[in-house]
Amino acid sequence: MSEEITKEEIAQNYKAMGHSVDLLNAGKPDDMEADEWTATKARNVEHLELMKAKTYWTSEDMTAVDKAIADNK
């Protein structure tokens, strides 16, 4: 079953995924403890996996999302 969602909501969700990708690609901030970074990575990878599984995507490029997930699992 397809989810009811507007184009604007899709764009916002895609943008939020980009924020997670950017955070993961930036790596651990100097002022963050290793265990906190591990938890942060896990939350962001889970977010990307859950969002990527949504059925409303059309032509959005998921290359960076896929790479961020693979690199941080």
Side-chain angles (χ1 to χ4, degrees):
M1 176 184 278
S2 182
E3 299 177 47
E4 294 292 326
I5 187 166
T6 67
K7 289 180 182 180
E8 291 79 16
E9 290 169 323
I10 292 171
Q12 182 59 40
N13 289 345
Y14 187 70
K15 183 178 178 181
M17 291 174 70
H19 293 304
S20 285
V21 168
D22 291 344
L23 179 105
L24 291 167
N25 287 342
K28 184 180 98 46
D30 292 337
D31 62 345
M32 185 180 282
E33 296 294 328
D35 60 339
E36 186 180 354
W37 175 240
T38 298
T40 298
K41 284 194 327 180
R43 281 191 307 274
N44 281 273
V45 167
E46 180 181 21
H47 170 250
L48 292 174
E49 290 174 327
L50 290 170
M51 293 305 296
K52 187 172 182 239
K54 300 293 184 184
T55 60
Y56 50 71
W57 301 117
T58 57
S59 62
E60 292 81 10
D61 184 359
M62 296 293 177
T63 304
V65 171
D66 292 334
K67 183 169 179 1
I69 291 169
D71 289 350
N72 292 282
K73 266 197 129 173

